[in-house]
Amino acid sequence: MTAPVIEMQGITKTFPGVRALSEVSFDVRPGEVQALVGENGAGKSTLIKILSGVYHADAGEVRMGGEPVHFAHPVESLRAGIAVIYQEFSLLPERSVAQNLFLGREPRGRFGLIDERRMHDETRKVLDLFATGGRIDPGRAVGTLDVATQQMVEIAKAVSHDARVIVMDEPTAALNDAECEELFTTVDRLRERGVAIIYITHRMREIARLADRVTVLKDGEVAARFDAVPEPGEIVHAMVGRDIADFYAPPATEAEIGDPVLTVTGGGNAHLHGIDMSVRAGEIVGLAGIQGAGRVALAMALFGQEPFETGEVTLAGERVSFRTPREAIEAGIGLLPGDRKSEGLVLMQSVRDNGMLTPRAFAPLWSSHKRTAQADLARIDELLDRMEIRAASYDQDIRALSGGNQQKAIVARWLSMRPKLLIFIEPTRGIDVNAKAGIYHLMRDLARGGAGILMISSDLPEVIGAADRILVMQEGRIAAEFPHGPTERDIMHAATGETEVAA
Amino acid sequence: MTDQSAAPDRKRRRLPQINPVWVLLAVLIAGIVYMNPGFAEPTGYMNFLKRAAPLAILAAGQVYVITSGGFDLSVGSLITLVVVGASMLTNNDPSATYWVIPLMLAMGLGVGAVNGAIVCFLRVPSLIATLGTMITLNGLAFLWSGGAPRGYLPDTFRFFGRELIRDVPLVRFIPVSVIVLIVVVGLFAWLMHRTNLGRMVHAIGDNPVAARLAGVPVNRVRISAFMLSGLSGAIAGILLGGFAGVSTDVGAGYELEAITAAVLGGAQLLGGRGSVPAALGGALALTAIFTLLNFLGLPQPVRQVVQGLILIAAVALAMHRRKRTGT
């Protein structure tokens, strides 16, 4: 057995109010894929940030090739051969692929000028290592490439730095199935070249496909270590500390579904055409479709952010038309945005302030911030408790919380408003398995309480598992409708328009 | 399960974290008292507070705009306009004060509303919008006075800036301006830290997109913040008219001092965080620094150099602290 290239021993790290890691040991060998799994907030990112020199461990040791190392800055770890590929890429969109690869270490030619040709050729050589790298033009601006290709450039950059260890943080989060396959091939090639890969993921399928060994973190400690990939159930069990028997809540029965909460007839604007749809009380409607099919545009039209210009909308039987989100909220609609950080949270404010945001927005400006018509502080605390939010204190800034906990705080905000229709956009993006199950059951509880739920998701198994009825959008129209339980194939056909040809 | 483990943390976090501005203020006061023991007497510190009052009130208003994610550069010119306008309108008639003062306060609110409307509806960044109103108001003050303001305000008007209330136990006397300071800062602090308005101001400065999607009436809140800043400018103008007299540069430079004071109190430039009491601390500290420089016999330009350096240092320190506390 080869010696580990990286060994981390007894790593402990504490942040104000939170012990992020305690006595974590972890190693990775050349030519293997070590999967690092755990819920959000389990400490994966912190561990990686310690490895790459972003944070410094309070206790413990990092060894590289047997020698203790101390990285004061990510640049030092990169020089030592550790490259981290985060979900947000570190590429300059206006620069070419080659310029990005050689940023800060451009090959020099005569008179100290940059040797464009050599840079181009070297880039070509690196890209050729990848299955589909040959398609990428080294001279093209990175910003014009799609996400999957940008990711490949990011990996190529790591390779060109002669990285011996490459860390990939949920690399498939933004990729479709075909792109995932390409990525897996790339990972296989890197493994053959003897690169050690630390692969962070939630997805069991990827672990089964790629991993040689698996380390599971839970609450800042190593919950389990597997020298071979076990059954998914075992990993999930180690991650959440219990079995997940009922991941999705059972679908609504006929009796639970009531009258339409929302109807749209002939709704249209710049992005949407001829939208006819309804959501009934007690029902979860899933909205599927590919990127840009108009799902988010539909949500924003219903919510008054980018209103319909034609057509009719009724809410609880009354004709409505909203020009702002505020009007929509007042009438009884709630919306959980798809991008928590940029659209959902006020990050510098406390967990409690984030929960109280909407109730306060509808209270008189000069009245006490402790009590509003919809909720007082005790009520918000109760809702936050019910969401099982993991925070040192509800007075803590929300930015320190994990994605799942942040999402729950936004849910608590809407619960206090008792909306008639609640729109969830990508409700479980970037949150862990346990919290996902929590969100599904919560949606079901809200539906049972008489609300209509519209769920937009790019995660097909989620749409199929959680929704009572599924609408599939394509190019700004609703292309198909399925009752509970279609296959992924059915939906993909409808989303890409192939059924129309077949029919 | 989370609650039990979190309980001790919850207590620990509640331990008061002292805002550095209070430490700075204490050091400066100690320095002043060391150089001039008379400062510890009521005459000394009451006069200090009286001099600091206009700036402290301005800073309390400015902190609303800064926390909401903007700047208000127009308050200095607004002060000038209030002083010049009041001298023109009262026209040496002591009884005119009773309608001129409410009118001036309304003008302050009005200027704030205009600033807010320009930012909200014309989408002009606040730095530029209020730079525009700053120049405009200065011009108006000149036009109104014909370039040569009459040097008088009736004593009834100057009462707020100049008079003292005597025979007060413990401190012997209290300037009226200090009472105005306490009332105004108290009111602004209550609005900022105990009402929905304050929370909404924080929210729109932190993330206007999220605030809008959560139903916050963003424009209404932003305009309110500018109106409070305008109101603070009008009040500061009334006080300054009382003890500085009438001129067309009476308010010059106050807008930048107010921003410096707010930032010294830890207000987050570009929004999301700000405190009225800390802005008061910032204004007192800035006044104390100027007092010290005066004692040291340093000329006026040094004051500007110091103020500039303080502004940079305060923001740099805030950035450093933010980085250290994570994210």
Side-chain angles (χ1 to χ4, degrees), chain A residues 369-388:
Chain A
H369 67 301
K370 290 184 178 155
R371 185 183 304 275
T372 70
Q374 286 82 15
D376 58 14
L377 292 185
R379 167 81 178 140
I380 271 296
D381 283 5
E382 187 190 310
L383 288 172
L384 293 168
D385 284 345
R386 203 169 107 198
M387 296 283 104
E388 294 178 351

Side-chain angles (χ1 to χ4, degrees), chain A residues 269 271-272 294-302 306 308:
Chain A
N269 62 21
H271 310 289
L272 302 166
R295 294 166 306 161
V296 175
L298 176 55
M300 290 306 171
L302 293 171
E306 287 173 74
F308 286 120

